[in-house]
Amino acid sequence: MKDDNILKEKSLAFGIRIVRLAKYFIRKTSVAEQPIFTQILKSGTSIGANIRESEFGESTDDFKHKLKIALKEANETEYWIEILHSGEYMSDDQYESIIVDCKELIKLLTASINTLNKK
């Protein structure tokens, strides 16, 4: 896969940002709000985990399937980021900073899957 290294690098960096974001917010929020941050932590770190899993896919279809799961997780993470921004947990600057990275992962994953579909 052509974008393999960039996907690995960007998903790892994004996962680290998500862990830091969740850690920061979990400390600052009530127990009732913490499930939101647990969800973004799960979906945001799952992107990279599925990209890594795809490297050792049992077949091209398995490889593609793992990338599709990563794409679904990225889409879910985008949703949680939008919730946090709309709920005024994040400033506009914080939102813009992280949503750009999330959307970039979505574009890279989509392009990789589309390339595999053409083969």
Side-chain angles (χ1 to χ4, degrees):
M1 179 171 131
K2 187 170 121 181
D3 293 326
D4 185 38
N5 288 336
I6 196 155
L7 271 174
K8 280 173 63 172
E9 291 170 20
K10 290 192 178 284
S11 63
L12 177 63
F14 185 75
I16 291 166
R17 284 190 77 184
I18 290 294
V19 168
R20 288 181 179 149
L21 176 107
K23 183 178 175 182
Y24 171 76
F25 281 118
I26 285 173
R27 282 194 225 148
K28 288 185 65 176
T29 57
S30 72
V31 173
E33 297 164 310
Q34 289 182 5
I36 296 168
F37 305 109
T38 301
Q39 283 300 121
I40 196 170
L41 183 61
K42 288 178 182 179
S43 65
T45 57
S46 182
I47 300 164
N50 279 289
I51 290 168
R52 291 292 179 98
E53 240 185 281
S54 74
E55 291 180 302
F56 293 98
E58 296 172 13
S59 64
T60 302
D61 285 342
D62 187 40
F63 175 71
K64 188 174 18 172
H65 178 70
K66 297 291 191 258
L67 291 182
K68 286 181 178 180
I69 293 171
L71 179 59
K72 288 165 56 173
E73 295 292 341
N75 189 53
E76 179 183 342
T77 303
E78 182 180 25
Y79 169 79
W80 291 117
I81 292 168
E82 290 170 0
I83 291 276
L84 293 175
H85 182 247
S86 296
E88 299 179 352
Y89 291 93
M90 287 183 168
S91 68
D92 290 343
D93 288 343
Q94 289 170 321
Y95 170 77
E96 288 301 325
S97 174
I98 200 162
I99 201 72
V100 166
D101 290 347
C102 189
K103 287 180 183 281
E104 183 177 16
L105 281 170
I106 290 171
K107 286 179 185 176
L108 288 169
L109 285 161
T110 300
S112 296
I113 293 165
N114 288 341
T115 298
L116 288 167
N117 285 335
K118 291 177 184 174
K119 291 183 178 183

